[in-house]
Amino acid sequence: MNPLTRNKKTSALIASALIVGSISIPATAQAETTNLAVEDITTFHISTTPENLSLSINNYDENTDPANTNLTIPDSALSDKPTNFNGIETPGYHLPLFADDFLSVTGADATTPQVGLHFIKVAGPGKIYLGSGHNDQSFAPVLNTKQAELKAPATLPANAFGDNLAQLIFEKPGKYKVLAQAVEVNDSADLTNETVTPAKFKRSSAPQVYTFLVGKAGLADTSDPFAGMDLTTPAETPQETATEATGKDTPVTEPAGDPLAKDEEITEKPAETTDAATTQPQDVEKKSDKPLPTPNAPVPAGKAPAAPTGGISGAISNLLGSAKCFPSFEGGQGELTIRPKVKDDRQSPSKWYNFNEISFTIGDAGKAKLPAAVGAIPAGSNVWMIGSTQVKDVPWVGANTMSDTVLSQTTGEVTWTLSSFEGPGALEVFTSGNFGTLVGNKWFSGNGNSGSGSVTIPKNTHVHPNWVFSAPGVYKVGITQTATLKNGKQVSGTDVLFFQVGGGNGARDGHFDVGSEVAQAGAKRVWKDSNGKPCTPSQVDLQAAGLGSLAATGSGTLTFPLLVFGVGMGVLGLGMRVRTRQD
């Protein structure tokens, strides 16, 4: 994302009220409310300057007022992985987010460890859990309360996640509200102290109300979770859950003009459309106009294929419904092999293409100036890039090892090797380091007609590296993918990706992943119901098969300023983007 600093003067009256431990919510004019997906934005964006501290939502290149925004979580986020997390042990709507997709800090004091969040009130139909994990299958508390459940009051240091994921989990579908503010303390240890009070806050932003709509039930919910709650109660009062707070015998009347008193009319933000048609560079023979499916055993007529392991658990199935359309493979010959593929998430369900059925165009929206040297490309060079952050009008090309057949047929890890390279300039593919280091793990380097480099991508992983091209023209990037079957045999597959840099007729926008499938040569994926008849998979069917669309990923562990041509100073994310799918 492009974090922008928004200066908003915090009134002395509010600051004084916070110091003595009480909080008042300022009246807000009625405004149209927009829905934004949690995985597409930075939820808690703190802007800090010597004069000011503010809290907002960051939506790509602009800060958004939480009071006029609903944050949505899809039904497909429902997972049984939280049943394995200490302190949770129940299915929930699980969003593994990169740390700065959940909480980011920008401004003059962005590096200070004394900045964090203070959660003042929490309400909704169920519990909210917040933790940290090195992948989406691990969980550790991050709040000062040392608990998995987010109960108010609680504080969260801005650097609590480090390089780990932020694990956000909602217990039940419906509407939730969170009242929070950005805070700064003199001693960073205060943010992790279980007994910290607002008296320790050096300064605080104006409180902001965040609304989360979980599943279709949340979108349909017209209630106010904060109804009957005393929003002027001192923040250091004993912790209370939403259920406890709304179950008081004597509801407290809300202040006049409170923006929480009623819900505004919601206007869904229209989805941006992209041209789904993709073509090859002119010198590449296009073998097919249709995306290929994938492999295993043919479906006997009249029988439903067995559901793949790692599908929807019974608890989740009871909430979303059972799968009715099942995948399998027909028409293959010979032994299993690995087949490189490109996953196109511009439509639902996603489609998988052969490499020669799609190319990627990086136009003016991908122009940038390198702040530091990367491989053979000097600092200050004009480049075209696909960053780890999704940018409008730039195809967002990642990598994943999440294909159902990769998970079911191999040990999970897939090694990528740059096996050939041809282009008018240099190519560098890398993830970013920490603490200001531009390059972390280098994947590939190519220049002229040669290239080198390899990387091993762990099991069940989704990653967005940075692809940097030094000159316009057509690049042919040969990648060999190697995996080990569960019987111990190693299999490899090679194909060539095409990038049209500076202009062309390839895919210009949207989310894509380079991956693979394991199948017999010539096998094709088919979908059939329990009677053996062809069917179209629903989201539940895709989730059960382990083929649900990936959540969009956001900015990296670090962002670096780059000069964007025609725009001025901008920010493109340069960091490793890893997401693991719900098994």
Side-chain angles (χ1 to χ4, degrees), residues 341-345 352 396-400 402 416 462-464 511-515 550:
K341 294 285 181 179
V342 174
K343 181 170 174 282
D344 182 352
D345 283 330
W352 291 80
W396 197 25
V397 183
N400 84 51
M402 294 171 151
W416 287 21
H462 177 210
V463 51
H464 275 268
H511 179 267
F512 305 86
D513 280 326
V514 179
L550 295 171

Side-chain angles (χ1 to χ4, degrees), residues 41 122 151 214 274 341 402 412 419:
I41 49 90
V122 179
K151 294 182 178 181
V214 180
T274 58
K341 294 285 181 179
M402 294 171 151
S419 51

Side-chain angles (χ1 to χ4, degrees), residues 213-487:
L213 305 181
V214 180
K216 293 179 180 177
L219 292 170
D221 192 342
T222 59
S223 67
D224 181 3
F226 277 167
M229 294 182 69
D230 182 2
L231 299 180
T232 62
T233 303
E236 64 265 30
T237 53
Q239 296 179 355
E240 56 186 357
T241 64
T243 303
E244 293 166 346
T246 56
K248 292 179 180 178
D249 293 334
T250 307
V252 180
T253 303
E254 296 180 13
D258 195 315
L260 307 177
K262 66 177 183 177
D263 292 336
E264 299 91 342
E265 180 180 354
I266 298 172
T267 300
E268 189 78 42
K269 185 175 181 179
E272 295 177 352
T273 58
T274 58
D275 184 1
T278 55
T279 56
Q280 311 334 74
Q282 294 180 356
D283 58 345
V284 180
E285 179 184 358
K286 187 174 181 181
K287 297 182 180 180
S288 171
D289 291 327
K290 298 181 179 179
L292 276 185
T294 348
N296 212 347
V299 182
K303 290 187 177 180
T309 57
I312 297 180
S313 71
I316 295 176
S317 177
N318 290 338
L319 291 175
L320 290 186
S322 300
K324 297 179 180 179
C325 192
F326 308 92
S328 64
F329 299 92
E330 294 180 346
Q333 294 182 347
E335 297 184 353
L336 292 176
T337 186
I338 192 166
R339 308 193 306 195
K341 294 285 181 179
V342 174
K343 181 170 174 282
D344 182 352
D345 283 330
R346 291 176 299 172
Q347 57 266 302
S348 182
S350 303
K351 292 185 177 181
W352 291 80
Y353 291 87
N354 289 326
F355 279 18
N356 70 337
E357 294 177 313
I358 191 168
S359 65
F360 303 105
T361 294
I362 309 169
D364 289 345
K367 284 184 176 181
K369 188 181 290 291
L370 276 184
V374 178
I377 308 176
S381 296
N382 297 332
V383 296
W384 287 256
M385 70 175 292
I386 299 172
S388 61
T389 299
Q390 188 168 18
V391 175
K392 180 176 171 56
D393 295 328
V394 176
W396 197 25
V397 183
N400 84 51
T401 56
M402 294 171 151
S403 163
D404 55 338
T405 53
V406 170
L407 294 174
S408 63
Q409 302 285 2
T410 76
T411 57
E413 288 187 346
V414 179
T415 297
W416 287 21
T417 302
L418 184 64
S419 51
S420 65
F421 177 79
E422 183 179 336
L427 164 68
E428 297 290 339
V429 183
F430 61 93
T431 62
S432 295
N434 295 321
F435 309 111
T437 304
L438 184 61
V439 177
N441 295 323
K442 181 179 287 188
W443 285 22
F444 310 133
S445 293
N447 202 347
N449 292 316
S450 65
S452 62
S454 67
V455 62
T456 297
I457 303 175
K459 176 182 180 180
N460 204 26
T461 294
H462 177 210
V463 51
H464 275 268
N466 308 284
W467 308 72
V468 180
F469 302 85
S470 67
V474 175
Y475 291 74
K476 302 175 183 180
V477 182
I479 296 175
T480 296
Q481 298 186 44
T482 303
T484 301
L485 298 177
K486 290 187 175 178
N487 63 9

Side-chain angles (χ1 to χ4, degrees), residues 73-108:
I73 297 92
D75 283 316
S76 60
L78 187 59
S79 169
D80 58 0
K81 282 188 178 178
T83 60
N84 298 317
F85 297 160
N86 289 334
I88 302 179
E89 299 167 355
T90 183
Y93 294 79
H94 179 205
L95 292 174
L97 303 168
F98 288 94
D100 56 356
D101 288 352
F102 179 76
L103 171 59
S104 67
V105 183
T106 60

Side-chain angles (χ1 to χ4, degrees), residues 147-172:
Q147 301 297 313
E149 183 182 354
L150 173 58
K151 294 182 178 181
T155 57
L156 173 69
N159 61 357
F161 302 101
D163 292 331
N164 288 339
L165 299 174
Q167 308 277 36
L168 179 62
I169 301 162
F170 295 85
E171 181 185 24
K172 299 177 182 179

